[in-house]
Amino acid sequence: MSNSSSLWSDAFRRLIKNKAAVGGAIVLLILFILAALAPWIAPYPYAYQNLDLGASPPSAEHLLGTDILGRDLYSRILYGARISLLVGFVATTVALFIGVTWGLIAGYFGGKIDTVMMRIVDVLYGIPFIIFIILLMVVFGRNLWLLFIAIGAVEWLTMARIVRGQVLSLKNQEFILAAQAMGVSNFSMFKRHLLPNILGPIAVYATLTIPQVMLLESFLSFLGLGIQPPMSSWGTLIKDGVESMEEYSWLLIYPGLTFTITLFALNFFGDGLRDALDPKTSDN
Amino acid sequence: MLGIFFRRVLLAIPVLIAVASITFFLVRLAPGGPFDADKAVSEQVLKNLNEAYNLNAPLSEQYFDYMSGIVVGDFGPSFRFPGRSVTELIMTGLPVTFELAIYSMLIALLIGILSGVVAALKRNTFLDYIPMSIAMIGICVPTFLLGPLLVLIFGINLELLPVSGWGQLPGDKILPSLTLGFAYAAYIARLSRGGMLEILNQDFIRTARAKGLSESMVVTKHAMQGGLLPVVSFLGPAIAGLLSGSFVIETIFQIPGLGRFYVEAAFNRDYTMILGTTIFFSFMIVIFNLLSDLAALWLNPRSRDT
């Protein structure tokens, strides 16, 4: 146990030294707090319209201006952050759950089970899922939770491969054999012995999945197939911004800037985490 | 080597059949028939419509009809454009999308490989840092944001380039191709930098240098062959990405290609069109993935003996 705790504290020390990763983490932390507090700190409700005002540039009353319907852009970006971050985390959790379970079972039991399960992953890899998500949205309507699950169900494949690889390298080590000899059940074998030892790669890959998932959601929302008005996600805000960018460029620039900064922060943090937990790959 | 080739090709067949079947049944699962939205349709007309599009036959018969149609390239009639077949519509949009994809790919390869190789050779100098920082931007700024921003700058403020269209005004192909190609240029730059760095450390490069080959010879003849392997394997997924990227680009720039047809079909609930284009896109992606895998296998000397 002392060995594993020193691994984590070593990793933490390396992470702290990486300025880009720390900067990313700080940006993300601020963003989480703002998104969580949105109903209390947003100056206006997200659907509040002021049709008399219409689109107005940034001012003292409306920090980032208003859109064509007179809705406060700052409030809408705050509420949009909730949706975009929620998608990022829920879909990543779904992907994590399926991928880790799949990889654990395939890697641990091995043999025919492994072959069949990994062949299924191979076949699924070949399927262009983004088109399928669009199809799902068309067929079953644009439901927020369906969107979460559909995106998550797409992103688990790589996670399954990573986990399986890790389990394969672990399962012949003495402590696993010892646990088997003691008659530990499969479930607690996974929970107590295997999972804690592969948390590193899982954490890294999960962090890098979040920005991909958020991009996918905003891509769909941009096409009009994701989040529906009057709710806002960053994708729908950018879509609205594009439609009126010739006259009201701030409607495109502020949501775009927020989204880009968030993606930067997530990527920097993810890269930093990978370098910290796996110093071998960080050389180049 | 040949064995792997055959296995990969064989693996693609169940993928194609699975894709076509899943798509078919998903669309049939959709609540409501394709003509429900047309309010003015009377019962008799509805019946005739269903008859005309063969929707009254048992599902299994429809399925086999459809699947055997696909084999000969027949995707059935379009629900929304009476008298036109889905195959016809696909063939109208395909050349445009294909041209866009080729230009974007060329831009991506040219910029990506050049800056990646230079960055690897001039590691930890500003020739490394600057292109790699730009690449990070390319990865973090989504195309649906980059496109409108470029339009805003070059189209609206500077009035240098047309803001939309394809092949109507001089220079209207530049912005769409650049937008779509940029993100892939970024990925390719990172991949070729990583691949080159790994190769440049190896013994055979040291040998090549030691026997007095010029640096340009070492790089182009020896290092790039292996160093660019990751780029070759990336080409398949990249083409898949370019095709789905075309949904956005063609919508932003109002380009009459396959991607825009697809998005429009999704909005109009033109089920046969969605079904046909989904299967068509999927086939193309599966095939390009297969080709890039096979190319990477063929180029990799380590896989030749097996």
Side-chain angles (χ1 to χ4, degrees):
Chain A
M1 213 50 213
S2 67
N3 187 21
S4 93
S5 70
S6 86
L7 168 86
W8 286 96
S9 61
D10 271 1
F12 185 70
R13 217 170 298 131
R14 276 193 292 269
L15 190 65
I16 288 291
K17 272 196 216 142
N18 185 334
K19 287 195 192 89
V22 172
I26 292 172
V27 169
L28 289 175
L29 199 67
I30 294 173
L31 202 72
F32 286 140
I33 295 172
L34 288 180
L37 296 178
W40 295 279
I41 58 171
Y44 302 88
Y46 65 91
Y48 172 78
Q49 301 182 357
N50 184 349
L51 290 168
D52 298 334
L53 183 62
S56 69
S59 62
E61 269 128 83
H62 299 282
L63 272 179
L64 302 178
T66 53
D67 67 8
I68 303 166
L69 298 173
R71 292 180 294 197
D72 182 60
L73 185 59
Y74 175 61
S75 308
R76 285 179 70 71
I77 290 180
L78 279 184
Y79 277 98
R82 289 166 80 88
I83 299 286
S84 296
L85 293 173
L86 194 66
V87 171
F89 284 94
V90 174
T92 304
T93 312
V94 173
L96 210 62
F97 182 75
I98 305 176
V100 170
T101 315
W102 198 275
L104 273 177
I105 293 176
Y108 184 67
F109 292 112
K112 273 213 181 78
I113 296 177
D114 181 34
T115 314
V116 171
M117 287 178 87
M118 292 330 276
R119 201 41 38 86
I120 291 176
V121 170
D122 287 346
V123 170
L124 290 177
Y125 247 111
I127 295 178
F129 272 105
I130 193 154
I131 296 176
F132 270 90
I133 295 182
I134 294 181
L135 194 69
L136 276 178
M137 291 294 115
V138 173
V139 172
F140 294 109
R142 288 137 209 185
N143 177 310
L144 190 65
W145 292 100
L146 179 67
L147 183 69
F148 289 172
I149 294 169
I151 294 178
V154 169
E155 298 281 346
W156 64 272
L157 297 171
T158 312
M159 182 61 89
R161 281 194 179 169
I162 292 173
V163 170
R164 171 182 173 268
Q166 296 285 326
V167 171
L168 281 184
S169 69
L170 278 178
K171 84 171 173 190
N172 288 328
Q173 290 190 14
E174 282 89 351
F175 73 99
I176 297 291
L177 298 177
Q180 277 169 341
M182 283 163 63
V184 170
S185 75
N186 286 333
F187 180 73
S188 57
M189 179 70 89
F190 291 158
K191 208 181 101 198
R192 302 272 316 264
H193 299 281
L194 288 171
L195 261 185
N197 284 298
I198 55 175
L199 270 183
I202 293 178
V204 171
Y205 188 71
T207 328
L208 293 171
T209 305
I210 295 173
Q212 285 172 13
V213 166
M214 288 173 70
L215 268 175
L216 202 53
E217 178 275 323
S218 56
F219 172 85
L220 291 169
S221 294
F222 180 83
L223 289 176
L225 296 166
I227 307 295
Q228 296 298 303
M231 226 197 260
S232 61
S233 82
W234 291 340
T236 59
L237 289 175
I238 292 171
K239 172 188 159 69
D240 293 345
V242 168
E243 278 160 14
S244 52
M245 68 178 177
E246 285 184 46
E247 301 97 324
Y248 318 120
S249 55
W250 64 88
L251 289 178
L252 173 63
I253 290 169
Y254 293 121
L257 207 61
T258 319
F259 191 32
T260 310
I261 290 173
T262 309
L263 289 177
F264 262 110
L266 279 165
N267 275 312
F268 280 138
F269 182 67
D271 282 351
L273 201 62
R274 181 183 55 206
D275 295 351
L277 282 170
D278 187 6
K280 272 174 295 177
T281 60
S282 62
D283 286 343
N284 43 23
Chain B
M1 178 77 183
L2 265 178
I4 301 177
F5 255 87
F6 277 118
R7 257 190 45 207
R8 298 312 276 271
V9 176
L10 282 180
L11 195 65
I13 293 171
V15 173
L16 293 178
I17 295 176
V19 166
S21 310
I22 295 170
T23 321
F24 180 86
F25 288 110
L26 257 182
V27 169
R28 281 295 181 279
L29 264 180
F35 305 111
D36 284 3
D38 308 334
K39 289 177 200 111
V41 173
S42 73
E43 197 123 320
Q44 185 57 41
V45 176
L46 190 68
K47 222 177 126 195
N48 289 346
L49 272 172
N50 281 338
E51 192 77 45
Y53 288 107
N54 195 23
L55 292 175
N56 291 333
L59 196 60
S60 60
E61 194 189 317
Q62 288 185 41
Y63 173 69
F64 285 111
D65 276 357
Y66 193 79
M67 295 299 267
S68 48
I70 293 176
V71 177
V72 292
D74 174 16
F75 289 103
S78 163
F79 280 150
R80 293 280 153 177
F81 299 96
R84 304 194 66 182
S85 74
V86 173
T87 312
E88 214 178 302
L89 288 169
I90 290 177
M91 285 306 144
T92 326
L94 184 63
V96 176
T97 301
F98 201 60
E99 202 187 346
L100 173 65
I102 286 182
Y103 292 152
S104 312
M105 202 69 214
L106 287 179
I107 290 174
L109 284 174
L110 206 71
I111 301 180
I113 291 181
L114 201 68
S115 51
V117 170
V118 170
L121 292 175
K122 308 280 175 196
R123 192 176 169 191
N124 294 338
T125 67
F126 75 99
L127 277 175
D128 181 11
Y129 295 139
I130 292 174
M132 284 306 122
S133 313
I134 297 176
M136 195 69 189
I137 297 176
I139 286 169
C140 287
V141 180
T143 44
F144 56 80
L145 182 58
L146 182 68
L149 284 178
L150 290 179
V151 169
L152 201 59
I153 297 169
F154 294 101
I156 295 169
N157 288 338
L158 300 176
E159 296 186 9
L160 280 174
L161 292 164
V163 296
S164 65
W166 187 259
Q168 287 131 355
L169 293 166
D172 64 358
K173 294 182 181 176
I174 297 178
L175 281 185
S177 313
L178 210 60
T179 310
L180 191 51
F182 188 62
Y184 296 96
Y187 279 109
I188 290 174
R190 289 176 74 155
L191 284 174
S192 41
R193 178 178 177 273
M196 288 298 282
L197 281 179
E198 203 171 295
I199 290 284
L200 285 172
N201 280 333
Q202 291 192 1
D203 292 340
F204 74 95
I205 296 293
R206 197 169 309 137
T207 313
R209 281 190 178 134
K211 75 178 183 186
L213 281 185
S214 70
E215 185 66 20
S216 63
M217 198 64 174
V218 173
V219 172
T220 54
K221 199 134 186 354
H222 293 268
M224 271 170 79
Q225 245 187 34
L228 295 185
L229 261 180
V231 177
V232 177
S233 334
F234 177 65
L235 284 183
I239 288 170
L242 283 180
L243 287 177
S244 47
S246 74
F247 299 168
V248 165
I249 298 292
E250 290 176 6
T251 305
I252 295 173
F253 292 96
Q254 295 171 11
I255 297 169
L258 204 51
R260 205 166 123 221
F261 286 176
Y262 185 71
V263 175
E264 272 170 17
F267 273 107
N268 293 334
R269 299 185 152 252
D270 184 343
Y271 285 130
T272 39
M273 186 69 190
I274 301 171
L275 186 54
T277 32
T278 300
I279 294 174
F280 185 75
F281 269 127
S282 311
F283 277 24
M284 296 226 294
I285 290 170
V286 168
I287 288 167
F288 278 119
N289 270 330
L290 181 69
L291 287 179
S292 92
D293 276 1
L294 293 182
L297 265 177
W298 181 63
L299 286 174
N300 189 352
R302 279 186 211 124
S303 67
R304 266 179 212 157
D305 323 320
T306 51

